[in-house]
Amino acid sequence: MASLPLPDNFRAESVDINSSLSGLLCSDSNENSEKIVLWLHGGAFILGSSQSYRPFAARVTQASKAQVLLLDYALAPEHVFPAALNDVLSALDWLAERYSMNDVAIGGDSAGANLALAALQKRIADDKPVPASMWLISPYLDLTHSGGSIKERAGLDPFVDGASMAPTAATYLGDTDPTDPRASPLLASAHGIPPTLIQIGSEEVLFDDAVRLRDKITAAGGHAVFQEWAGMIHVWPIFSHAIEEGGWAISQGGNFLRQRWRRVG
């Protein structure tokens, strides 16, 4: 991913959130936006970086007309729960000092979606302002792995092996019980969650995580836009350089964020 070509107008600047946490602030030199998206990369809590997600961020900047902050949160096994979540909370505090939360959106794919939702739930519990919207791709939200689609769709998604999910999650959890709602945010309250776009592929073993989150947000009186993408596998938008559906999904995600920003003024 890090070796994919980038647009000529793409810019990425390293920023320090604190003494141990940094990221890449990405932008389109043709735009001068005061809006920003905090994007949390996937990788089962053990893989991924801001460098590898630059091509994806370039497309998000174009679609959303906003800056994108790619966070290099702490990875397991060197850093177990709640290190990554604490990093995301630090990044949100950093953004709150520099932007109105009405100008901020948060998003993530797979494990990054887990961190995005858990961080919002923590800020809501602490009575802190939250971003104007959230965009989740192929969210991995339940580390107890209770979703029926893990077995029902086994073999359909070549990107996720259901048999390896529990040991990989254990690497991230350390001594934490997977029922802890901070680690499995699907098990926590959905009250106060901002308008959310959920994109999931029809072939994904994590399909039920996405469905259950949609239902929880709706039941809590929130607004969730749910998109099931026919024939798509786990986190297909990161392959937007190769498949049209990836680019289409990013375009719709960007449109969702821009519509929300227009509504909050």
Side-chain angles (χ1 to χ4, degrees):
M1 290 170 62
S3 66
L4 293 174
L6 295 165
D8 291 338
N9 55 324
F10 178 74
R11 300 289 181 267
E13 173 190 0
S14 180
V15 293
D16 292 326
I17 307 302
N18 57 41
S19 60
S20 61
L21 178 62
S22 62
L24 281 181
L25 184 59
C26 305
S27 61
D28 183 329
S29 63
N30 294 330
E31 298 287 342
N32 185 21
S33 177
E34 297 179 352
K35 313 298 186 185
I36 189 166
V37 184
L38 173 61
W39 194 269
L40 308 170
H41 66 77
F45 307 104
I46 61 174
L47 299 171
S49 71
S50 60
Q51 292 295 325
S52 64
Y53 265 66
R54 288 181 304 157
F56 175 81
R59 290 180 176 266
V60 173
T61 61
Q62 292 173 342
S64 65
K65 309 299 182 186
Q67 303 171 83
V68 175
L69 176 59
L70 294 173
L71 189 68
D72 281 309
Y73 59 83
L75 299 176
E78 294 84 359
H79 307 281
V80 297
F81 179 88
L85 177 58
N86 287 339
D87 281 349
V88 179
L89 292 169
S90 294
L92 284 168
D93 285 340
W94 185 86
L95 287 168
E97 293 174 356
R98 292 161 176 80
Y99 299 85
S100 163
M101 273 289 147
N102 282 342
D103 294 330
V104 177
I106 190 170
D109 57 282
S110 193
N114 176 304
L115 295 170
L117 177 59
L120 283 194
Q121 290 166 334
K122 174 60 174 171
R123 286 187 69 87
I124 292 167
D126 291 345
D127 199 27
K128 291 183 176 181
V130 298
S133 61
M134 180 165 59
W135 171 17
L136 305 181
I137 299 173
S138 303
Y140 176 30
L141 307 174
D142 176 12
L143 273 58
T144 73
H145 306 121
S146 65
S149 57
I150 293 176
K151 291 183 178 180
E152 294 164 0
R153 305 189 186 212
L156 295 179
D157 189 342
F159 207 29
V160 179
D161 176 12
S164 68
M165 293 174 70
T168 302
T171 300
Y172 165 67
L173 288 166
D175 295 330
T176 301
D177 192 304
T179 63
D180 187 323
R182 299 171 302 157
S184 294
L186 185 65
L187 308 182
S189 171
H191 287 279
I193 297 297
T196 298
L197 171 63
I198 304 168
Q199 295 178 320
I200 188 79
S202 65
E203 310 302 282
E204 297 201 47
V205 297
L206 292 175
F207 189 85
D208 283 359
D209 281 25
V211 170
R212 289 182 291 170
L213 177 62
R214 175 201 64 192
D215 293 346
K216 286 199 73 165
I217 291 174
T218 302
H223 178 64
V225 176
F226 183 86
Q227 295 182 347
E228 176 183 351
W229 286 72
M232 293 296 103
I233 62 172
H234 191 59
V235 198
W236 75 98
I238 67 172
F239 305 115
S240 57
H241 59 283
I243 57 173
E244 289 181 320
E245 291 89 345
W248 297 340
I250 292 173
S251 178
Q252 293 196 25
N255 287 339
F256 175 82
L257 300 186
R258 288 189 285 113
Q259 288 172 6
R260 178 58 183 165
W261 278 320
R262 284 197 294 269
R263 290 180 181 178
V264 298

